[in-house]
Amino acid sequence: MEEKEQVKTENSMANSTFSDQIPASCAFSSSIFDMPCEVEKGSLGFMDLLGIQDYSPSLFDLLQPPLAPHPLTSPASSAPPESSEVVNAPATPNSSSISSSSTEAANDDQTKAAEEEEQDQEKNKQQLKPKKKNQKRQREPRFAFITKSEVDHLDDGYRWRKYGQKAVKNSPFPRSYYRCTTAACGVKKRVERSSDDPTTVVTTYEGQHTHPCPVMPRGSLGIPPEAVTFSAAAASSFAMPQPQYQQQQQPYFNNSSLSLNFNHMNSSSINPTFLHERRLRPSPASLLRDHGLLEDLLPSQMFKEPKEE
DNA sequence: CGCGTTTGACCGGCGC
DNA sequence: GCGCCGGTCAAACGCG
């Protein structure tokens, strides 16, 4: 209560929070509902907006469907002292988004180690207070999505359990903390509404799912209502490159179009062709049928007319 | 009854 | 050392 008041008063000031770093111009909007979409000009420009420090081209390779190793395994960033963030631009039926990721683990080994470590940490926590003093607490790689959505918690196909909510400084909107409900999976996500643009939601994923998405993989069968409602599922899936299991079972994005798209992104010369199609498409369901989540991830307009700042 | 949410308390990191 | 702040815990509660 008081806290909120305080937050409000401070709202217009500082800029330390993640959401604050997202300029309004970065606000993407939903794709399939034919909402306007603006994107920062230049390749990866929007990454800067999110404070991304390390976004080597390989990043997008890594972001390519699940098969890619770990997105953050870029050798170039050998042990980045701080986090670097990456941006993706997935879209959801009533939302489109950008994403960013922060990478604090640098390679596969580290990732695995991080996972183990996290598990250890959790065990320790349960026992009492763990934390090693010498080591800074290692964080899982993080990916943030900016999503234009009226709904805070986008259904990404995984099941999440909310474990906390905090008022965010400089923002009138609270931040919610979710954890994957799957037993051995320690993936977390934060959801907060941007104070700059209340219509956008910043979703930050942390860690990697150690299990297949509960929602049926697309293409294999019917698409669960949730997936239809919020294809942000895709977002999560590709943003957090899945572990090995995805290499065996075709995951959400098993079509080449996705990688194609990313390639475009990478080269900064995006061909929005197929995206136009989407705009004509009225129903998300049909959308999924014909194209796949790819388009949900990459709103057509997104790359059409880069907006200048 | 099981599962998820709410919410105040608590803890640790960090800046001053 | 102190206070702020982000993140997490866990009891209470709600809902199907």
Side-chain angles (χ1 to χ4, degrees):
Chain A
M1 312 165 189
E2 298 175 3
E3 203 171 358
K4 284 196 175 181
E5 297 284 326
Q6 193 179 358
V7 168
K8 280 185 182 176
T9 58
E10 294 173 357
N11 190 21
S12 58
M13 304 175 66
N15 55 358
S16 57
T17 63
F18 178 56
S19 60
D20 285 343
Q21 297 177 26
I22 303 159
S25 59
C26 194
F28 295 74
S29 49
S30 10
S31 49
I32 68 175
F33 291 120
D34 199 14
M35 295 171 67
C37 214
E38 302 175 320
V39 174
E40 284 303 318
K41 192 173 194 172
S43 68
L44 309 183
F46 47 90
M47 284 177 150
D48 291 329
L49 298 176
L50 295 175
I52 294 165
Q53 297 162 5
D54 176 17
Y55 43 81
S56 60
S58 62
L59 181 60
F60 283 102
D61 292 339
L62 295 168
L63 284 174
Q64 283 177 20
L67 318 177
H70 196 285
L72 311 170
T73 49
S74 130
S77 60
S78 60
E82 261 308 75
S83 67
S84 59
E85 311 224 326
V86 181
V87 181
N88 300 320
T92 62
N94 63 352
S95 69
S96 76
S97 23
I98 320 172
S99 85
S100 80
S101 82
S102 87
T103 121
E104 277 149 65
N107 55 44
D108 285 337
D109 289 344
Q110 285 187 1
T111 301
K112 289 178 183 175
E115 285 183 18
E116 292 176 2
E117 201 163 327
E118 180 164 306
Q119 288 181 2
D120 286 345
Q121 285 182 3
E122 293 210 354
K123 286 179 183 176
N124 287 335
K125 277 183 185 175
Q126 289 177 354
Q127 291 175 2
L128 260 189
K129 303 142 195 172
K131 304 207 173 155
K132 306 163 186 175
K133 285 189 177 179
N134 290 340
Q135 288 178 291
K136 271 191 182 178
R137 178 185 162 194
Q138 269 202 342
R139 297 218 152 193
E140 295 285 320
R142 288 189 289 185
F143 295 82
F145 290 87
I146 302 171
T147 307
K148 187 134 189 166
S149 172
E150 294 173 7
V151 185
D152 285 350
H153 187 199
L154 301 175
D155 191 333
D156 56 8
Y158 290 91
R159 295 181 62 82
W160 301 93
R161 173 189 168 89
K162 188 175 185 177
Y163 67 89
Q165 177 172 311
K166 285 285 274 189
V168 180
K169 203 184 177 195
N170 301 323
S171 171
F173 307 105
R175 174 184 297 151
S176 297
Y177 299 88
Y178 297 88
R179 184 174 293 150
C180 184
T181 58
T182 302
C185 181
V187 176
K188 299 172 198 165
K189 86 174 177 184
R190 293 196 302 258
V191 177
E192 66 183 278
R193 199 163 280 279
S194 167
S195 59
D196 285 345
D197 182 357
T199 63
T200 62
V201 174
V202 180
T203 304
T204 306
Y205 291 88
E206 182 173 336
Q208 290 183 49
H209 290 283
T210 59
H211 58 95
C213 178
V215 166
M216 295 309 300
R218 115 195 253 81
S220 68
L221 286 175
I223 295 156
E226 298 162 309
V228 175
T229 310
F230 276 111
S231 43
S236 140
S237 290
F238 89 78
M240 312 231 317
Q242 304 297 312
Q244 302 75 4
Y245 65 80
Q246 270 198 346
Q247 298 182 359
Q248 296 155 8
Q249 77 178 55
Q250 287 292 343
Y252 258 50
F253 327 94
N254 55 355
N255 52 21
S256 56
S257 50
L258 179 54
S259 58
L260 174 71
N261 221 319
F262 276 114
N263 287 337
H264 285 156
M265 284 178 72
N266 194 12
S267 64
S268 82
S269 64
I270 288 92
N271 180 350
T273 316
F274 68 94
L275 295 167
H276 291 293
E277 263 185 86
R278 176 195 209 96
R279 307 190 64 172
L280 304 175
R281 210 163 324 228
S283 106
S286 61
L287 209 174
L288 288 162
R289 210 176 304 127
D290 292 343
H291 291 273
L293 294 173
L294 166 60
E295 292 191 20
D296 295 339
L297 293 174
L298 303 171
S300 58
Q301 304 95 326
M302 220 182 112
F303 308 110
K304 272 180 73 179
E305 292 190 354
K307 179 184 176 182
E308 293 199 56
E309 274 206 339

